[in-house]
Amino acid sequence: MKTSDNFSFGKYAWEQFKKKKTAYLSFYIIVSLFIVALLSPFLANHQPLFVKYKGISYFPAFSTLVNSAKIDTIQLAQGKFDVVNFNDIDWRSKNKDFVIWAPIPYSPNFTDKYNRDYTSPTDNQRYKNHEGKIDNIPFRLRHFMGTDKLGRDVAAGIVHGAKISLLVGIFSMLLAALIGIPLGAFAGYYGNSEVKVSRFQYWMTAFGLFIGLFVAFVSRSQIISSSFQESILSGTWSFLVSLFIIMVAYFLFSFLGKKLAIGSFLKKEVDVPIDAFVSRTIEILNSLPSLILIITIAAIINERSLVVLVLIIGLTSWTGIARFMRAEMLKIKELEYIQTAKVLGFSDRRIIFGHALPNGLAPVFTSVAFGIASAILTESGLSFLGIGVPDDIITWGNLLSLGREEFEASWLVIFPGLAIFVTVTAYNLIGEGLRDALDPKLKK
């Protein structure tokens, strides 16, 4: 029998989470998606995992691990490693001694010229056999979810698209959490009257932030846009330079305001309304239609890439996390152990990051789970509109977009749509399960 002395809230929360059957099942669905995403090069690949051809053993699918261009493969023969070019070899038409195909024997960008123009899963599919004749395709090599106009396998796109969706969802919410958690914590802890500075320092800091934002993102807008067009690395570096400019302007003008304040009027201390600043910023961002805001930012950057998409979604999705964090901090800062820490002389930084934040993150996990679902939905919508990731990257949204070109190709809508629906629903159910499991009011 457990007593209150050895009670573990983490174990209790997990037990409560498992009682929510739908959330628990959704957790394993997401774990399965992670496994699929990690193993996607070996689950869907037009190169065999292993093939024995004319007495020699090859491992074509593993070439992606040793060559980023995906041209070469490792030949293991007579104990030697020889590099052989298999880029143009169609293993389906070779008379092989033995072969082990991937579960889906097609890559997402592999074009099957014998099954183009929207071949459905039930159509009579064709291939060139080892005798050079066009024949009915073997059951093992069929396109079980059909193909698009170019002959690309839909099932392969679903498998590899899972990796893109999970990457966008998780990393965009990680960025949103890095912004929202500290802003919400500072807003809730300090409020509008806990921080006091001289009147002149307050004015100078506000002016410095305005100058920093103007120089960083208005004066340098063309530079940032050109950098992203040049390369992702160059664009990211240019964006970081802009953030550095804002920080330098903030600290420089704040320091000057502190040192140059003269006279009783300018030296008089005033409150810094941190909570008001953060709350008004959240209200402004929430008042704007998120999709319109994201489309506008994407048009300004004029660069389609996975990194840019993550940055755009992350920078526009932190408000919900900040609101949850602020509400928790408003409650936590009034608790006895926080008041005791203040009396003992602990620094604000130690109190916030060492005591208050660890006890206030539970609701944030729920917000992050819902946010990942929203980010996946946003990425799918942007890719559907043609302004998400580049066209050469297969995503669920791209596959849905292909369905607009041929209304009779229902499989291009059904399978990607089902993947999006299952993933988003699973994350939402996990969020609901976390919300119930992490609520201390339900503790028995």
Side-chain angles (χ1 to χ4, degrees), residues 28-44:
Y28 280 103
I29 290 176
I30 296 302
V31 170
S32 300
L33 278 176
F34 270 101
I35 295 174
V36 169
L38 289 173
L39 300 180
S40 57
F42 309 115
L43 293 177

Side-chain angles (χ1 to χ4, degrees), residues 115-418:
N115 295 285
R116 292 177 176 175
D117 297 325
Y118 307 104
T119 300
S120 78
T122 58
D123 282 345
N124 186 24
Q125 301 177 11
R126 316 284 284 177
Y127 88 119
K128 181 187 286 187
N129 60 26
H130 65 275
E131 297 177 351
K133 298 179 181 179
I134 306 301
D135 196 2
N136 291 329
I137 200 167
F139 180 81
R140 180 65 183 83
L141 299 178
R142 284 187 63 85
H143 299 276
F144 290 102
M145 292 187 182
T147 66
D148 63 5
K149 183 177 181 180
L150 300 177
R152 293 176 298 188
D153 187 78
V154 175
I158 296 293
V159 170
H160 284 261
K163 178 170 58 179
I164 303 301
S165 295
L166 292 175
L167 282 175
V168 170
I170 291 173
F171 282 101
S172 61
M173 281 303 103
L174 178 61
L175 176 60
L178 291 176
I179 298 173
I181 289 175
L183 286 180
F186 293 150
Y189 183 82
Y190 289 115
N192 291 320
S193 59
E194 292 291 328
V195 178
K196 299 180 182 294
V197 297
S198 68
R199 181 173 286 157
F200 187 65
Q201 183 181 1
Y202 179 74
W203 291 346
M204 287 292 289
T205 302
F207 181 70
L209 282 174
F210 174 79
I211 294 297
L213 288 169
F214 181 82
V215 173
F217 293 111
V218 178
S219 298
R220 302 184 73 252
S221 60
Q222 291 294 333
I223 297 176
I224 296 174
S225 179
S226 300
S227 298
F228 273 110
Q229 291 179 20
E230 181 180 341
S231 68
I232 296 302
L233 182 61
S234 177
T236 303
W237 173 253
S238 183
F239 180 79
L240 292 175
V241 169
S242 293
L243 293 181
F244 179 73
I245 291 173
I246 296 173
M247 293 177 61
V248 170
Y250 169 79
F251 287 111
L252 176 62
F253 279 82
S254 179
F255 176 78
L256 291 176
K258 183 178 182 181
K259 295 298 182 181
L260 299 180
I262 56 175
S264 58
F265 178 77
L266 295 180
K267 287 185 176 180
K268 183 180 179 180
E269 289 190 340
V270 295
D271 298 329
V272 180
I274 297 177
D275 188 21
F277 285 149
V278 175
S279 297
R280 297 299 85 76
T281 303
I282 292 174
E283 290 171 3
I284 291 172
L285 289 177
N286 286 343
S287 66
L288 300 173
S290 58
L291 185 59
I292 301 299
L293 180 61
I294 291 173
I295 291 174
T296 303
I297 297 174
I300 294 174
I301 295 177
N302 195 27
E303 171 70 13
R304 295 173 61 188
S305 72
L306 190 60
V307 175
V308 171
L309 189 61
V310 168
L311 288 174
I312 292 174
I313 296 177
L315 292 174
T316 56
S317 304
W318 58 268
T319 55
I321 296 175
R323 290 174 60 192
F324 273 104
M325 194 69 251
R326 174 184 174 275
E328 281 299 301
M329 195 61 68
L330 285 172
K331 179 177 64 176
I332 290 174
K333 74 174 185 178
E334 302 297 332
L335 298 180
E336 292 182 0
Y337 72 94
I338 297 295
Q339 299 300 321
T340 303
K342 290 182 179 180
V343 172
L344 292 175
F346 288 3
S347 66
D348 288 341
R349 183 176 62 180
R350 181 177 178 182
I351 293 174
I352 294 174
F353 293 100
H355 301 281
L357 262 183
N359 292 288
L361 286 177
V364 174
F365 295 145
T366 303
S367 181
V368 168
F370 287 122
I372 292 176
S374 177
I376 291 174
L377 207 56
T378 300
E379 180 277 321
S380 299
L382 292 176
S383 296
F384 178 80
L385 295 174
I387 57 176
V389 297
D391 293 332
D392 60 335
I393 298 179
I394 302 297
T395 69
W396 294 340
N398 282 343
L399 293 174
L400 277 175
S401 181
L402 294 175
R404 295 184 301 175
E405 302 175 6
E406 180 61 44
F407 293 110
E408 294 183 0
S410 58
W411 56 94
L412 288 175
V413 176
I414 293 174
F415 296 117
L418 187 61

Side-chain angles (χ1 to χ4, degrees), residues 83-96:
V83 178
V84 182
N85 191 326
F86 285 141
N87 187 45
D88 298 324
I89 294 180
D90 184 0
W91 287 103
R92 297 178 302 169
S93 62
K94 298 297 180 182
N95 188 17
K96 303 166 287 293

